[in-house]
Amino acid sequence: MQTWWTPRRTVVFIAAFLVAALVVSGGIALLKVHEATADWWPSAIPTRVQYAGRNYTCFGAGPGFTTGLPARGHTIGGGIIFAPSVEPDTFIVVSDGKRIVECPLSGGL
């Protein structure tokens, strides 16, 4: 008597399950990047940077300077965040090694 479920179907089922799990985990990772930066892919200077519990907007921001600003952290894409040591920070500066961008605080103080 031949059974419906064969070892080959078991392997196919497990492979399909693993592929589906990888697709779902990749989608969750992209959603987390989008939630944090408003971009779908990590970049050194993202559209939005989260620093010290606040959101800063780097989209369309002008050139910045790092003179006198200590490095305070990194963006999700590996850029360096420079911020003044005085609170409240109304701006931060983000650098990717080639560009330096000043990012103002989103929404005010």
Side-chain angles (χ1 to χ4, degrees):
M1 182 169 166
Q2 187 175 7
T3 63
W4 179 81
W5 198 256
T6 63
R8 179 183 165 113
R9 287 187 180 174
T10 302
V11 170
V12 169
F13 176 78
I14 291 172
F17 179 79
L18 290 175
V19 167
L22 286 173
V23 168
V24 168
S25 66
I28 289 171
L30 287 176
L31 284 174
K32 288 186 179 225
V33 167
H34 182 68
E35 180 182 354
T37 67
D39 295 332
W40 286 105
W41 195 255
S43 64
I45 302 179
T47 301
R48 182 176 62 220
V49 175
Q50 294 178 340
Y51 169 73
R54 296 176 166 173
N55 290 327
Y56 295 84
T57 304
C58 296
F59 179 73
F65 61 94
T66 59
T67 306
L69 296 175
R72 301 270 184 187
H74 290 85
T75 65
I76 197 167
I80 301 171
I81 299 172
F82 297 89
S85 57
V86 180
E87 294 289 333
D89 299 331
T90 58
F91 73 95
I92 60 172
V93 177
V94 179
S95 172
D96 66 357
K98 297 177 185 172
R99 297 184 305 147
I100 300 172
V101 177
E102 184 175 316
C103 308
L105 182 63
S106 299
L109 298 175

XYZ file of all heavy atoms in Angstrom:
816
model
N 0.828 -1.172 0.000
C 0.000 0.000 0.000
C 0.885 1.253 0.000
O 1.812 1.368 0.782
C -0.886 -0.014 1.236
C -1.811 1.130 1.296
S -2.981 0.779 2.612
C -3.669 2.341 2.798
N 0.581 2.188 -0.865
C 1.383 3.402 -1.013
C 0.788 4.515 -0.156
O -0.422 4.755 -0.177
C 1.411 3.823 -2.475
C 2.351 4.953 -2.726
C 2.451 5.280 -4.213
O 1.725 4.736 -5.014
N 3.351 6.169 -4.533
N 1.639 5.199 0.595
C 1.154 6.292 1.432
C 1.276 7.608 0.682
O 2.089 7.768 -0.230
C 1.966 6.390 2.739
O 3.312 6.697 2.408
C 1.894 5.096 3.521
N 0.466 8.547 1.078
C 0.460 9.865 0.444
C 1.700 10.664 0.840
O 2.268 11.383 0.045
C -0.815 10.611 0.859
C -0.895 11.978 0.269
C -1.302 12.295 -0.980
C -0.545 13.205 0.892
N -1.232 13.633 -1.193
C -0.763 14.228 -0.030
C -0.062 13.542 2.154
C -0.536 15.558 0.248
C 0.169 14.878 2.423
C -0.068 15.857 1.465
N 2.130 10.553 2.105
C 3.253 11.343 2.604
C 4.538 10.544 2.435
O 4.695 9.471 2.987
C 3.040 11.676 4.079
C 3.905 12.815 4.524
C 5.029 12.710 5.267
C 3.722 14.185 4.240
N 5.572 13.940 5.471
C 4.783 14.887 4.848
C 2.798 14.920 3.531
C 4.929 16.247 4.773
C 2.947 16.282 3.470
C 3.997 16.934 4.075
N 5.469 11.085 1.670
C 6.727 10.400 1.391
C 7.892 11.183 1.996
O 7.749 12.364 2.336
C 6.949 10.270 -0.123
O 7.067 11.583 -0.673
C 5.811 9.519 -0.789
N 9.045 10.581 2.116
C 10.216 11.312 2.627
C 10.558 12.526 1.761
O 10.986 13.558 2.269
C 11.336 10.274 2.595
C 10.645 8.964 2.715
C 9.342 9.148 1.994
N 10.364 12.424 0.462
C 10.652 13.554 -0.419
C 9.728 14.728 -0.113
O 10.152 15.882 -0.095
C 10.504 13.128 -1.878
C 10.759 14.267 -2.839
C 10.532 13.838 -4.272
N 10.440 14.997 -5.118
C 11.316 15.310 -6.038
N 12.358 14.534 -6.237
N 11.154 16.388 -6.767
N 8.462 14.455 0.125
C 7.525 15.531 0.463
C 7.878 16.159 1.808
O 7.679 17.353 2.010
C 6.099 14.994 0.471
C 5.599 14.739 -0.920
C 4.159 14.374 -0.930
N 3.754 14.139 -2.316
C 2.599 13.688 -2.680
N 1.683 13.432 -1.766
N 2.322 13.498 -3.943
N 8.399 15.363 2.713
C 8.838 15.906 3.996
C 9.979 16.907 3.791
O 9.977 17.988 4.372
C 9.302 14.766 4.934
O 8.218 13.856 5.103
C 9.746 15.293 6.274
N 10.932 16.554 2.952
C 12.061 17.449 2.670
C 11.573 18.729 1.997
O 11.991 19.837 2.349
C 13.125 16.728 1.803
C 14.179 17.698 1.305
C 13.764 15.600 2.579
N 10.667 18.607 1.053
C 10.119 19.776 0.357
C 9.364 20.670 1.343
O 9.495 21.900 1.327
C 9.212 19.349 -0.817
C 8.440 20.526 -1.380
C 10.046 18.691 -1.900
N 8.587 20.070 2.222
C 7.839 20.831 3.220
C 8.785 21.588 4.152
O 8.592 22.773 4.423
C 6.934 19.897 4.028
C 6.216 20.590 5.134
C 5.098 21.371 4.870
C 6.662 20.478 6.448
C 4.436 22.031 5.895
C 6.006 21.130 7.469
C 4.891 21.908 7.196
N 9.825 20.924 4.635
C 10.788 21.574 5.534
C 11.519 22.705 4.809
O 11.707 23.795 5.356
C 11.772 20.533 6.112
C 11.036 19.614 7.077
C 12.952 21.215 6.801
C 11.858 18.432 7.547
N 11.920 22.491 3.564
C 12.601 23.528 2.783
C 11.685 24.723 2.563
O 12.108 25.876 2.705
C 13.083 22.952 1.453
N 10.430 24.468 2.242
C 9.475 25.570 2.037
C 9.254 26.344 3.330
O 9.174 27.578 3.326
C 8.159 25.024 1.510
N 9.182 25.646 4.436
C 9.022 26.297 5.730
C 10.227 27.175 6.050
O 10.074 28.305 6.518
C 8.812 25.251 6.826
C 8.653 25.849 8.190
C 7.445 26.406 8.574
C 9.721 25.874 9.077
C 7.292 26.974 9.833
C 9.583 26.439 10.330
C 8.366 26.991 10.713
N 11.437 26.693 5.806
C 12.647 27.470 6.073
C 12.731 28.706 5.185
O 13.115 29.788 5.637
C 13.885 26.598 5.907
C 14.083 25.518 6.969
C 15.286 24.652 6.624
C 14.242 26.139 8.341
N 12.379 28.578 3.917
C 12.374 29.729 3.004
C 11.361 30.763 3.480
O 11.656 31.963 3.516
C 12.092 29.282 1.549
C 11.784 30.470 0.665
C 13.271 28.504 1.004
N 10.172 30.321 3.879
C 9.151 31.248 4.374
C 9.633 31.958 5.642
O 9.429 33.169 5.805
C 7.851 30.499 4.638
N 10.311 31.240 6.532
C 10.827 31.853 7.755
C 11.888 32.898 7.439
O 11.926 33.966 8.065
C 11.398 30.768 8.673
N 12.742 32.628 6.469
C 13.767 33.606 6.072
C 13.136 34.846 5.459
O 13.566 35.970 5.728
C 14.754 32.967 5.094
C 15.736 31.979 5.693
C 16.550 31.297 4.593
C 16.656 32.675 6.670
N 12.127 34.670 4.641
C 11.445 35.816 4.021
C 10.774 36.677 5.093
O 10.870 37.911 5.071
C 10.437 35.333 2.960
C 9.517 36.459 2.519
C 11.165 34.750 1.764
N 10.109 36.043 6.041
C 9.438 36.789 7.110
C 10.463 37.523 7.971
O 10.278 38.704 8.298
C 8.567 35.846 7.964
C 8.108 36.529 9.238
C 7.368 35.373 7.164
N 11.561 36.880 8.341
C 12.565 37.546 9.177
C 13.232 38.704 8.428
O 13.518 39.739 9.028
C 13.610 36.550 9.674
O 14.365 36.037 8.607
N 13.460 38.550 7.133
C 14.005 39.659 6.339
C 13.026 40.818 6.268
O 13.418 41.984 6.363
N 11.743 40.519 6.124
C 10.725 41.569 6.102
C 10.644 42.310 7.422
O 10.509 43.539 7.462
N 10.758 41.587 8.521
C 10.735 42.224 9.836
C 11.949 43.134 10.007
O 11.829 44.247 10.529
C 10.666 41.157 10.945
C 9.280 40.497 10.947
C 10.973 41.752 12.319
C 9.164 39.296 11.843
N 13.111 42.699 9.551
C 14.316 43.534 9.643
C 14.148 44.819 8.838
O 14.516 45.905 9.303
C 15.531 42.752 9.162
N 13.590 44.716 7.628
C 13.367 45.921 6.821
C 12.364 46.856 7.489
O 12.519 48.079 7.446
C 12.883 45.532 5.422
C 13.936 44.937 4.498
C 13.301 44.504 3.179
C 15.061 45.918 4.246
N 11.326 46.312 8.099
C 10.351 47.154 8.796
C 10.981 47.875 9.976
O 10.671 49.041 10.234
C 9.161 46.317 9.258
C 8.174 45.918 8.182
C 7.125 44.959 8.743
C 7.497 47.139 7.590
N 11.893 47.216 10.686
C 12.574 47.864 11.812
C 13.472 48.999 11.333
O 13.535 50.050 11.960
C 13.369 46.842 12.615
C 12.488 45.935 13.422
C 13.304 45.030 14.312
C 12.369 44.161 15.108
N 12.717 44.058 16.481
N 14.166 48.797 10.224
C 14.994 49.868 9.656
C 14.103 51.033 9.236
O 14.406 52.190 9.513
C 15.825 49.351 8.457
C 16.440 50.501 7.679
C 16.903 48.404 8.935
N 12.976 50.747 8.595
C 12.070 51.804 8.150
C 11.487 52.559 9.341
O 11.352 53.785 9.298
C 10.945 51.217 7.295
C 10.004 52.245 6.767
N 10.387 53.169 5.821
C 8.717 52.509 7.058
C 9.359 53.952 5.546
N 8.337 53.570 6.285
N 11.146 51.858 10.395
C 10.594 52.508 11.581
C 11.616 53.446 12.224
O 11.278 54.527 12.681
C 10.165 51.442 12.589
C 9.568 51.997 13.854
C 9.209 50.905 14.849
O 9.326 49.711 14.516
O 8.819 51.256 15.971
N 12.872 53.046 12.238
C 13.905 53.848 12.881
C 14.397 55.003 12.020
O 14.750 56.059 12.539
C 15.087 52.959 13.260
N 14.419 54.829 10.685
C 15.081 55.823 9.839
C 14.202 56.438 8.765
O 14.641 57.362 8.080
C 16.284 55.196 9.119
O 15.815 54.215 8.189
C 17.257 54.574 10.085
N 12.998 55.921 8.548
C 12.105 56.333 7.470
C 12.648 55.929 6.094
O 12.121 56.340 5.082
C 11.815 57.839 7.496
N 13.695 55.134 6.059
C 14.241 54.578 4.822
C 14.005 53.074 4.836
O 13.813 52.482 5.892
C 15.751 54.843 4.716
C 16.087 56.319 4.611
O 15.243 57.072 4.107
O 17.184 56.699 5.041
N 14.024 52.460 3.665
C 13.829 51.017 3.590
C 15.132 50.249 3.621
O 15.143 49.038 3.731
C 13.025 50.643 2.347
C 11.597 51.002 2.498
C 10.947 52.046 1.923
C 10.625 50.337 3.313
N 9.644 52.066 2.322
C 9.406 51.027 3.174
C 10.657 49.223 4.152
C 8.247 50.652 3.823
C 9.507 48.844 4.804
C 8.311 49.553 4.637
N 16.255 50.932 3.505
C 17.552 50.273 3.514
C 18.492 51.101 4.371
O 18.485 52.328 4.291
C 18.075 50.165 2.082
C 19.194 49.209 1.950
C 20.515 49.534 1.800
C 19.139 47.785 1.990
N 21.272 48.405 1.734
C 20.447 47.303 1.837
C 18.112 46.877 2.130
C 20.758 45.957 1.827
C 18.415 45.517 2.120
C 19.729 45.083 1.964
N 19.318 50.501 5.214
C 20.204 51.291 6.067
C 21.205 52.102 5.250
O 21.767 51.605 4.290
C 20.931 50.248 6.917
C 20.470 48.915 6.504
C 19.463 49.069 5.419
N 21.379 53.349 5.625
C 22.398 54.184 4.996
C 23.117 54.963 6.093
O 22.579 55.155 7.182
C 21.787 55.134 3.968
O 20.905 56.047 4.590
N 24.314 55.417 5.794
C 25.113 56.116 6.796
C 24.452 57.423 7.227
O 24.519 57.800 8.400
C 26.513 56.380 6.253
N 23.812 58.122 6.282
C 23.075 59.344 6.609
C 21.620 59.107 6.215
O 21.212 59.402 5.094
C 23.662 60.577 5.885
C 25.134 60.749 6.251
C 22.868 61.825 6.273
C 25.814 61.917 5.576
N 20.825 58.555 7.119
C 19.431 58.258 6.793
C 18.559 59.506 6.821
O 18.997 60.582 7.241
C 19.013 57.281 7.885
C 19.895 57.596 9.031
C 21.188 58.084 8.440
N 17.323 59.363 6.401
C 16.367 60.472 6.407
C 16.101 60.943 7.826
O 16.002 62.134 8.079
C 15.049 60.026 5.747
O 15.342 59.608 4.412
C 14.041 61.138 5.705
N 15.970 60.008 8.750
C 15.715 60.349 10.152
C 16.737 59.623 11.021
O 16.989 58.442 10.849
C 14.297 59.930 10.541
C 13.927 60.292 11.963
C 12.495 59.972 12.307
N 12.253 58.540 12.189
C 11.151 58.018 11.674
N 10.215 58.781 11.190
N 11.004 56.717 11.612
N 17.308 60.369 11.971
C 18.279 59.802 12.900
C 17.693 59.896 14.304
O 17.197 60.950 14.697
C 19.625 60.559 12.849
C 20.584 60.047 13.897
C 20.247 60.460 11.473
N 17.761 58.816 15.043
C 17.336 58.821 16.433
C 18.576 58.913 17.306
O 19.490 58.090 17.207
C 16.544 57.565 16.759
C 15.235 57.504 16.008
C 14.467 56.229 16.293
O 15.029 55.244 16.749
N 13.180 56.264 16.015
N 18.601 59.948 18.149
C 19.742 60.158 19.038
C 19.219 60.720 20.359
O 18.434 61.669 20.359
C 20.753 61.122 18.393
C 21.820 61.589 19.348
C 22.834 60.732 19.758
C 21.804 62.876 19.856
C 23.800 61.154 20.642
C 22.777 63.312 20.743
C 23.763 62.452 21.133
O 24.719 62.860 22.018
N 19.636 60.166 21.459
C 19.274 60.619 22.804
C 17.760 60.715 22.982
O 17.255 61.652 23.591
C 19.945 61.956 23.113
N 17.033 59.758 22.414
C 15.585 59.728 22.582
C 14.831 60.734 21.743
O 13.635 60.944 21.962
N 15.487 61.353 20.800
C 14.842 62.351 19.941
C 15.060 61.999 18.478
O 15.992 61.297 18.130
C 15.430 63.736 20.206
C 15.170 64.224 21.590
C 15.857 65.541 21.775
N 15.374 66.188 22.973
C 15.890 67.282 23.453
N 16.899 67.855 22.841
N 15.412 67.814 24.546
N 14.200 62.546 17.624
C 14.320 62.340 16.180
C 14.874 63.602 15.527
O 14.410 64.708 15.796
C 12.958 62.016 15.562
C 12.467 60.650 15.960
O 13.246 59.733 16.145
N 11.164 60.514 16.092
N 15.835 63.404 14.654
C 16.440 64.487 13.889
C 16.250 64.183 12.409
O 16.401 63.045 11.979
C 17.930 64.613 14.213
C 18.190 65.009 15.641
C 18.219 64.056 16.650
C 18.374 66.334 15.982
C 18.442 64.415 17.972
C 18.601 66.709 17.301
C 18.626 65.742 18.290
O 18.835 66.112 19.585
N 15.922 65.204 11.616
C 15.656 65.028 10.199
C 16.867 65.432 9.379
O 17.308 66.576 9.435
C 14.442 65.877 9.763
O 13.333 65.511 10.571
C 14.115 65.650 8.314
N 17.396 64.500 8.607
C 18.551 64.773 7.751
C 18.148 64.915 6.289
O 18.988 65.206 5.449
C 19.586 63.666 7.886
S 20.299 63.555 9.534
N 16.870 64.702 5.966
C 16.403 64.805 4.582
C 16.421 66.270 4.158
O 15.804 67.116 4.769
C 14.991 64.246 4.459
C 14.442 64.333 3.062
C 14.913 63.484 2.082
C 13.474 65.250 2.738
C 14.424 63.548 0.800
C 12.972 65.324 1.456
C 13.446 64.472 0.492
N 17.161 66.566 3.111
C 17.235 67.930 2.599
C 18.044 68.864 3.475
O 18.002 70.071 3.300
N 18.775 68.308 4.439
C 19.564 69.146 5.339
C 20.800 69.667 4.627
O 21.306 69.060 3.684
C 19.975 68.338 6.569
N 21.259 70.814 5.088
C 22.419 71.439 4.477
C 23.720 70.885 5.020
O 23.729 70.060 5.931
N 24.829 71.351 4.452
C 26.134 70.884 4.916
C 26.385 71.313 6.354
O 25.908 72.354 6.792
C 27.116 71.532 3.951
C 26.376 72.663 3.342
C 24.928 72.323 3.389
N 27.122 70.507 7.065
C 27.413 70.804 8.459
C 28.901 70.869 8.704
O 29.713 70.783 7.786
N 29.265 71.032 9.969
C 30.659 71.090 10.370
C 30.820 70.243 11.626
O 29.870 70.064 12.386
C 31.096 72.527 10.649
C 30.313 73.162 11.759
C 30.784 73.127 13.061
C 29.087 73.755 11.517
C 30.062 73.685 14.092
C 28.355 74.316 12.546
C 28.838 74.292 13.841
N 31.992 69.711 11.824
C 32.230 68.891 13.009
C 33.234 69.533 13.959
O 33.555 68.946 14.985
C 32.751 67.495 12.611
O 33.965 67.648 11.881
C 31.730 66.747 11.787
N 33.690 70.733 13.663
C 34.669 71.406 14.499
C 34.101 71.627 15.896
O 33.054 72.248 16.060
C 35.064 72.761 13.887
O 35.492 72.548 12.551
C 36.162 73.418 14.689
N 34.765 71.113 16.887
C 34.348 71.301 18.271
C 33.233 70.372 18.726
O 32.813 70.445 19.875
N 32.737 69.509 17.852
C 31.667 68.586 18.228
C 32.255 67.193 18.432
O 32.865 66.634 17.526
C 30.584 68.523 17.148
C 29.805 69.798 16.883
C 28.857 69.584 15.711
C 29.033 70.209 18.117
N 32.074 66.609 19.603
C 32.591 65.257 19.821
C 31.702 64.199 19.161
O 30.500 64.394 19.005
C 32.557 65.107 21.346
C 31.513 66.058 21.805
C 31.503 67.190 20.811
N 32.309 63.106 18.762
C 31.543 61.982 18.217
C 30.767 61.356 19.363
O 31.320 61.045 20.410
C 32.482 60.967 17.577
N 29.456 61.182 19.146
C 28.581 60.701 20.225
C 27.948 59.346 19.944
O 27.335 58.759 20.816
C 27.469 61.706 20.476
C 27.935 63.050 20.857
C 28.066 63.113 22.329
N 28.437 64.459 22.716
C 28.746 64.779 23.921
N 28.731 63.876 24.859
N 29.094 66.001 24.215
N 28.020 58.870 18.705
C 27.391 57.600 18.402
C 27.431 57.307 16.920
O 28.105 58.000 16.152
N 26.664 56.284 16.521
C 26.610 55.873 15.122
C 25.165 55.724 14.674
O 24.299 55.377 15.475
C 27.334 54.536 14.924
C 28.809 54.642 15.082
N 29.443 54.565 16.302
C 29.785 54.846 14.173
C 30.733 54.700 16.132
N 30.978 54.875 14.846
N 24.922 55.973 13.404
C 23.598 55.744 12.828
C 23.433 54.254 12.557
O 24.394 53.486 12.628
C 23.412 56.524 11.512
O 24.321 56.003 10.534
C 23.640 58.010 11.703
N 22.223 53.859 12.208
C 21.939 52.449 11.932
C 22.727 51.954 10.719
O 23.014 50.774 10.591
C 20.425 52.237 11.754
C 20.063 50.769 11.886
C 19.933 52.808 10.446
C 18.584 50.515 12.025
N 23.141 52.878 9.840
C 23.909 52.506 8.659
C 25.404 52.704 8.811
O 26.161 52.519 7.863
N 25.873 53.101 10.002
C 27.300 53.219 10.254
C 27.858 54.624 10.198
O 29.060 54.804 10.362
N 27.024 55.637 9.966
C 27.496 57.017 9.983
C 27.846 57.449 11.400
O 27.380 56.861 12.382
N 28.663 58.479 11.523
C 29.083 58.975 12.830
C 28.224 60.173 13.200
O 28.052 61.100 12.409
C 30.569 59.367 12.828
C 31.419 58.160 12.449
C 30.994 59.908 14.182
C 32.874 58.486 12.219
N 27.677 60.154 14.421
C 26.862 61.251 14.937
C 27.744 62.142 15.798
O 28.375 61.678 16.745
C 25.681 60.728 15.775
C 24.768 59.851 14.929
C 24.911 61.887 16.393
C 23.682 59.148 15.712
N 27.780 63.424 15.460
C 28.461 64.430 16.253
C 27.383 65.318 16.869
O 26.455 65.732 16.173
C 29.379 65.293 15.382
C 30.493 64.515 14.727
C 30.317 63.934 13.489
C 31.710 64.368 15.364
C 31.337 63.224 12.884
C 32.739 63.652 14.763
C 32.554 63.081 13.524
N 27.495 65.600 18.165
C 26.472 66.404 18.832
C 27.126 67.310 19.855
O 28.131 66.954 20.464
C 25.440 65.503 19.500
N 26.519 68.485 20.058
C 27.045 69.367 21.098
C 26.859 68.736 22.478
O 25.960 67.937 22.691
C 26.215 70.645 20.959
C 25.158 70.382 19.965
C 25.408 69.053 19.352
N 27.717 69.129 23.421
C 27.622 68.570 24.763
C 26.599 69.308 25.616
O 26.327 68.904 26.736
C 28.992 68.601 25.436
O 29.485 69.918 25.457
N 26.030 70.393 25.107
C 25.057 71.191 25.843
C 23.652 70.692 25.516
O 23.316 70.469 24.357
C 25.187 72.685 25.461
C 24.192 73.523 26.227
C 26.604 73.161 25.704
N 22.831 70.499 26.541
C 21.434 70.103 26.331
C 20.581 71.362 26.293
O 20.888 72.328 26.968
C 20.967 69.190 27.473
C 21.669 67.859 27.503
C 21.274 66.925 26.382
O 20.137 67.047 25.885
O 22.094 66.100 25.983
N 19.480 71.439 25.605
C 19.001 70.438 24.667
C 19.684 70.584 23.311
O 20.033 71.677 22.909
C 17.513 70.742 24.553
C 17.422 72.209 24.760
C 18.531 72.546 25.742
N 19.877 69.480 22.657
C 20.481 69.481 21.338
C 19.419 69.856 20.316
O 18.458 69.134 20.132
C 21.042 68.099 20.989
C 22.123 67.660 21.968
O 22.802 68.543 22.511
O 22.265 66.451 22.165
N 19.576 70.989 19.654
C 18.627 71.377 18.609
C 19.076 70.893 17.248
O 18.339 70.997 16.281
C 18.436 72.900 18.572
O 19.708 73.515 18.362
C 17.827 73.394 19.876
N 20.282 70.363 17.180
C 20.788 69.809 15.927
C 21.871 68.789 16.255
O 22.459 68.797 17.335
C 21.356 70.902 15.015
C 22.678 71.445 15.485
C 23.870 70.930 14.989
C 22.744 72.440 16.447
C 25.090 71.400 15.435
C 23.960 72.926 16.885
C 25.136 72.411 16.384
N 22.112 67.912 15.309
C 23.260 67.016 15.341
C 23.906 67.080 13.968
O 23.300 67.581 13.014
C 22.883 65.560 15.700
C 21.903 64.983 14.673
C 22.341 65.462 17.109
C 21.643 63.497 14.840
N 25.106 66.592 13.865
C 25.814 66.525 12.591
C 26.141 65.057 12.333
O 26.592 64.356 13.234
C 27.098 67.382 12.620
C 27.864 67.243 11.327
C 26.749 68.838 12.885
N 25.863 64.605 11.114
C 26.113 63.216 10.755
C 27.085 63.183 9.584
O 26.951 63.946 8.630
C 24.800 62.489 10.381
C 25.077 61.050 9.993
C 23.811 62.541 11.538
N 28.066 62.288 9.676
C 29.070 62.159 8.620
C 29.162 60.710 8.180
O 29.086 59.791 8.999
C 30.429 62.621 9.139
O 31.438 62.332 8.200
N 29.323 60.528 6.875
C 29.530 59.176 6.341
C 30.957 58.983 5.839
O 31.255 58.007 5.175
C 28.526 58.866 5.238
C 28.702 59.728 3.997
O 29.573 60.622 3.985
O 27.953 59.519 3.029
N 31.835 59.925 6.147
C 33.221 59.848 5.691
C 33.465 60.694 4.461
O 34.585 61.098 4.194
N 32.416 60.972 3.694
C 32.532 61.818 2.507
C 31.726 63.096 2.666
O 32.177 64.167 2.295
C 32.035 61.064 1.272
C 32.836 59.840 0.927
C 32.244 59.119 -0.250
C 33.000 57.823 -0.501
N 32.368 56.994 -1.508
N 30.519 62.960 3.197
C 29.639 64.106 3.392
C 29.482 64.388 4.876
O 29.560 63.490 5.701
C 28.242 63.836 2.815
C 28.213 63.615 1.336
C 26.786 63.450 0.822
N 26.080 62.386 1.533
C 24.785 62.396 1.797
N 24.040 63.404 1.433
N 24.210 61.397 2.445
N 29.209 65.647 5.191
C 28.888 66.071 6.552
C 27.590 66.846 6.466
O 27.500 67.835 5.736
C 30.009 66.944 7.155
C 31.321 66.166 7.204
C 29.615 67.422 8.543
C 32.506 67.010 7.615
N 26.560 66.396 7.193
C 25.223 66.982 7.089
C 24.749 67.389 8.475
O 24.845 66.616 9.427
C 24.236 65.963 6.473
C 22.832 66.519 6.418
C 24.688 65.562 5.082
N 24.208 68.621 8.581
C 23.598 69.075 9.823
C 22.124 68.688 9.819
O 21.401 68.992 8.864
C 23.742 70.581 9.972
C 23.205 71.092 11.293
C 23.452 72.571 11.474
O 24.569 73.036 11.165
O 22.524 73.266 11.922
N 21.672 68.041 10.872
C 20.298 67.534 10.952
C 19.581 68.223 12.104
O 19.936 68.017 13.269
C 20.305 66.037 11.176
S 21.307 65.110 9.993
N 18.557 69.017 11.816
C 17.832 69.695 12.888
C 16.885 68.760 13.626
O 16.465 67.732 13.102
C 17.059 70.795 12.148
C 16.880 70.257 10.777
C 18.099 69.412 10.486
N 16.535 69.162 14.837
C 15.585 68.416 15.645
C 14.223 68.434 14.957
O 13.764 69.460 14.474
C 15.482 69.053 17.030
C 14.571 68.401 18.046
C 15.062 66.998 18.371
C 14.535 69.245 19.311
N 13.559 67.283 14.912
C 12.244 67.188 14.288
C 11.181 67.621 15.288
O 11.131 67.104 16.401
C 11.934 65.748 13.869
O 12.873 65.297 12.926
N 10.356 68.562 14.915
C 9.219 68.940 15.742
C 9.493 69.907 16.860
O 8.603 70.223 17.622
N 10.705 70.380 17.035
C 11.000 71.350 18.064
C 11.535 70.718 19.335
O 11.857 69.552 19.396
N 11.602 71.532 20.403
C 12.165 71.075 21.653
C 11.147 70.255 22.395
O 11.316 69.625 23.320
C 12.616 72.271 22.500
C 13.715 73.117 21.852
C 13.989 74.340 22.707
C 14.977 72.312 21.682
